[in-house]
């Protein structure tokens, strides 16, 4: 959405997903299955315990997918491990 705003288009209806549910109900698994990528942290207890806005960018086969977080605009996170590490870092910063 932000990319379209930068070129003067005020509204484009892009798909967005919000997953809501109780603790350990499978919200992270739903997101990963919809996206088709393993990008969320795993562990015991509450792992993904804060809201994040992440835009994943699909690339042609043979090239690396990347993502951008709303809290770090214009910073590309290349590869799912980098995305996962940023989710952990930001979660620990905001919701230790």
């Amino acid at each position: 959405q932000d990319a379209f705003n930068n070129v003067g288009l005020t509204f484009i209806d892009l798909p967005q997903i919000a997953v809501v549910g109780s603790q350990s109900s499978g919200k992270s698994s739903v997101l990963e299955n919809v996206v088709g990528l393993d990008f969320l942290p795993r562990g015991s207890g509450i792992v993904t315990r804060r809201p994040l806005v992440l835009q994943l960018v699909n690339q042609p086969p043979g090239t690396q997918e990347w993502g951008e977080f709303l809290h770090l605009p214009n910073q590309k996170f290349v590869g799912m491990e980098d995305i996962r590490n940023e989710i952990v870092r930001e979660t620990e910063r905001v919701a230790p």
Side-chain angles (χ1 to χ4, degrees):
Q1 189 69 52
D2 291 338
F4 289 109
N5 291 336
N6 289 338
V7 295
L9 296 173
T10 56
F11 181 77
I12 301 289
D13 190 21
L14 297 175
Q16 297 182 22
I17 301 170
V19 180
V20 179
S22 61
Q23 180 180 329
S24 299
S25 62
K27 298 177 297 293
S28 295
S29 296
V30 167
L31 281 174
E32 286 187 334
N33 281 304
V34 167
V35 172
L37 297 169
D38 180 21
F39 64 96
L40 294 170
R42 298 273 184 238
S44 59
I46 304 171
V47 179
T48 50
R49 59 188 179 273
R50 72 172 305 267
L52 288 168
V53 177
L54 168 63
Q55 179 179 349
L56 294 172
V57 179
N58 191 9
Q59 297 291 327
T63 58
Q64 186 95 35
E65 295 95 1
W66 59 273
E68 183 178 303
F69 291 92
L70 185 62
H71 67 275
L72 293 170
N74 302 317
Q75 183 174 343
K76 287 184 181 180
F77 289 82
V78 178
M80 298 304 112
E81 185 174 345
D82 285 349
I83 289 171
R84 189 172 19 272
N85 290 340
E86 176 55 23
I87 292 170
V88 170
R89 189 196 70 71
E90 183 64 5
T91 299
E92 289 299 322
R93 184 186 74 78
V94 174

